[in-house]
Amino acid sequence: MPTRPSKSTEHALPDQTLILDNGAFTIKAGFAKPSPELEDCHVVQNCIARDREKRVWVGSHLDNCQDFGELAYRRPVEKGYIVNWEAEKAIWESLFLDKGAKLKCDPHETNLVLAEAPNAPAALQTNCDQMVFEEFQFASYYRCLGPSLNAYQDVPHLFGSPARLASSSHLPAECVLLIDCGFSHTTVTPIYKGRPIQQGIRRLDVGGKFLSNYLSELVSIRYYNMSDETYLINEIKESVCYVTNDFKNDLEMTWKHGPARGRKTTVDGKDIVVDYVLPDYHTRKHGFIRPHDPTLTAKMRKLGAMAAGGAAEDFMTLGNERFVVPELLFNPTDVGMRQAGLPEIVLQSLSGVPPGVWPAMLANILVVGGTSKLEGFMERLETEIRQLAPAECTVRITRAQEIIKSVEALGYQKSFRGQILGDDQEETPEVCPPPGENEY
């Protein structure tokens, strides 16, 4: 009678590894390769959407949508964690199981590396493990913190030092203070030799979604009702908003009856007040910015806003909305939140690590996440951290070369070199067993 294999029996892992960064706004996914390129990483919307014609778009299929007006979203990730697996399962299937999927694969012959946000509740982690093994049945699976993978970037090279040698490219930076400005929230994670320091992880509940909702509220009160225009509001935020270095001065310049009335430009000469021309989804799929002309604006409103060519043109004149919205990252108390701003959160994070590594952390601050692309964000963040940091510490801050795909690209390198799903015992975490041998 053949003996039953023990649970300790080693299984040969498949050669194919899928790296998946399951963000709240987009999914970044791709297969591990010996020489990965950014083009190997696919970015798809992590949502199920329904347009006004009642058509449903799942994940990457949203790229084929032509009318984004009144688009209703259903997102499986809330506050950074997967809470709706019914929707997430449909999105994953469209990504790597459906016919013609961008990353079509057989889960039984594929390893999965899944990046997650820090401090995920244990119950949600258990649900994730069950879905990966019982529903999709991947051959093996490793769930890791997304911020920790960013330590494998060539951080000194981002600050201007020579690129590291290929022989040491698999080693993480010794000290990195990672700021992830995501869609659901902003997290600060101190990382030492590739491993996050749990006591120093801090979270600010302000992200891209919070800023979009606040902008929607302001615009709906002052101009048009934009409560159902989620896509358009997000587009306006990315195109128009900026982080100011002098909030009080810019606010006075946009106040009609203030002491700075008549001056509508910043110190560097840029216009604060602009017109944003809205798309009609027939002749224009996207809106655009144009300089504000009070005379032309009044005339167009009086004539019914008829643009050249006879097409109706709707627009909004945006002033302090441009910088009041991103200001919540630095002063969330403006809307009644009982949280400190991002610079203070960074110093709170440092308080959770030994003082001896403070200089190394402050000298290697790395920023990732789509919200960090706002104009003026990096300059304002560096200025305020310098004001709060100890005088004897050097503060250096930089942005990753690819802020959206950074976790994915580093996952390629780490997994292919065997540090996640290989035989490097010093670096390799425990890999979950294949289906049939896992215990919950």
Side-chain angles (χ1 to χ4, degrees):
M1 182 176 178
T3 58
R4 183 177 180 180
S6 64
K7 291 187 177 182
S8 61
T9 303
E10 295 185 359
H11 294 263
L13 298 178
D15 295 330
Q16 183 170 256
T17 299
L18 176 66
I19 317 294
L20 190 66
D21 180 12
N22 205 91
F25 187 69
T26 57
I27 294 177
K28 286 71 69 177
F31 293 112
K33 295 183 179 180
S35 300
E37 302 290 340
L38 286 177
E39 291 73 17
D40 298 327
C41 175
H42 298 271
V43 181
V44 301
Q45 294 286 328
N46 190 14
C47 65
I48 297 177
R50 185 184 64 187
D51 60 19
R52 45 187 155 197
E53 301 296 331
K54 306 302 181 182
R55 287 175 295 185
V56 177
W57 307 89
V58 179
S60 59
H61 299 160
L62 188 59
D63 297 338
N64 301 322
C65 181
Q66 299 298 319
D67 184 0
F68 293 95
E70 300 180 10
L71 199 65
Y73 288 91
R74 182 184 181 189
R75 297 192 183 277
V77 177
E78 294 182 7
K79 298 185 178 180
Y81 309 118
I82 304 176
V83 296
N84 187 339
W85 270 106
E86 179 183 1
E88 194 65 77
K89 181 173 180 289
I91 296 170
W92 281 20
E93 289 176 346
S94 70
L95 181 61
F96 48 78
L97 289 183
D98 289 354
K99 184 178 180 180
K102 293 182 178 181
L103 296 171
K104 188 171 180 59
C105 64
D106 180 6
H108 297 84
E109 300 297 330
T110 305
N111 309 308
L112 176 65
V113 177
L114 178 64
E116 67 172 1
N119 297 329
L124 298 182
Q125 291 179 328
T126 300
N127 292 341
C128 182
D129 299 341
Q130 292 175 344
M131 291 297 298
V132 167
F133 278 137
E134 297 181 4
E135 291 292 335
F136 292 96
Q137 299 184 2
F138 279 94
S140 64
Y141 159 59
Y142 174 58
R143 173 170 36 79
C144 64
L145 292 185
S148 63
L149 295 180
N150 284 281
Y152 290 83
Q153 298 197 49
D154 190 356
V155 177
H157 183 58
L158 295 176
F159 287 104
S161 300
R164 61 186 177 186
L165 301 176
S167 59
S168 62
S169 61
H170 66 288
L171 299 176
E174 185 172 7
C175 290
V176 176
L177 186 61
L178 185 82
I179 301 176
D180 187 355
C181 304
F183 183 68
S184 296
H185 53 77
T186 301
T187 56
V188 180
T189 307
I191 304 171
Y192 181 72
K193 292 186 177 180
R195 299 187 180 276
I197 302 176
Q198 181 64 34
Q199 297 88 341
I201 297 178
R202 295 294 184 272
R203 167 176 169 143
L204 173 64
D205 292 325
V206 177
K209 181 179 180 180
F210 191 94
L211 300 182
S212 295
N213 290 342
Y214 186 52
L215 178 60
S216 175
E217 182 179 341
L218 293 180
V219 170
S220 297
I221 293 174
R222 301 176 182 180
Y223 302 104
Y224 304 103
N225 183 5
M226 292 286 184
S227 58
D228 295 330
E229 299 290 349
T230 305
Y231 179 88
L232 179 57
I233 284 293
N234 192 68
E235 192 175 62
I236 295 174
K237 179 194 69 177
E238 295 177 353
S239 303
V240 173
C241 290
Y242 73 94
V243 177
T244 177
N245 281 320
D246 192 342
F247 181 82
K248 182 179 179 181
N249 182 64
D250 286 2
L251 192 62
E252 287 181 352
M253 287 192 292
T254 56
W255 184 28
K256 291 182 179 180
H257 304 287
R261 182 178 61 174
R263 293 188 291 120
K264 301 295 185 182
T265 59
T266 58
V267 176
D268 55 3
K270 294 183 179 179
D271 291 332
I272 295 180
V273 180
V274 298
D275 289 338
Y276 187 86
V277 181
L278 302 173
D280 57 12
Y281 300 114
H282 295 290
T283 59
R284 292 188 308 274
K285 187 177 179 181
H286 301 282
F288 63 91
I289 306 172
R290 70 180 178 203
H292 176 62
D293 185 345
T295 305
L296 177 62
T297 299
K299 182 178 179 181
M300 293 184 67
R301 292 191 186 279
K302 185 176 180 180
L303 296 177
M306 297 301 295
E313 187 179 81
D314 289 328
F315 63 92
M316 298 184 298
T317 301
L318 300 175
N320 59 26
E321 299 89 351
R322 298 184 62 195
F323 57 87
V324 166
V325 171
E327 185 68 17
L328 297 182
L329 288 165
F330 298 87
N331 291 290
T333 54
D334 289 352
V335 290
M337 294 185 64
R338 296 184 177 180
Q339 283 189 288
L342 183 54
E344 290 82 2
I345 292 289
V346 170
L347 270 295
Q348 291 178 13
S349 174
L350 287 178
S351 66
V353 303
V357 300
W358 282 29
M361 291 290 181
L362 287 171
N364 294 279
I365 301 177
L366 182 62
V367 179
V368 299
T371 305
S372 68
K373 293 193 294 184
L374 290 171
E375 180 185 354
F377 175 83
M378 296 293 291
E379 294 79 4
R380 170 78 176 274
L381 182 61
E382 182 175 3
T383 299
E384 296 204 2
I385 291 178
R386 286 182 186 276
Q387 296 172 353
L388 298 173
E392 64 273 13
C393 295
T394 300
V395 176
R396 298 190 308 171
I397 180 171
T398 188
R399 184 189 284 127
Q401 292 180 348
E402 178 52 61
I403 59 177
I404 302 297
K405 302 179 181 179
S406 60
V407 170
E408 193 69 21
L410 276 298
Y412 289 160
Q413 299 178 17
K414 186 174 170 66
S415 62
F416 190 84
R417 289 187 173 89
Q419 291 175 284
I420 290 182
L421 297 170
D423 54 2
D424 189 339
Q425 296 300 322
E426 183 178 355
E427 294 283 347
T428 306
E430 183 178 357
V431 179
C432 295
E437 296 187 1
N438 54 315
E439 296 180 357
Y440 300 112

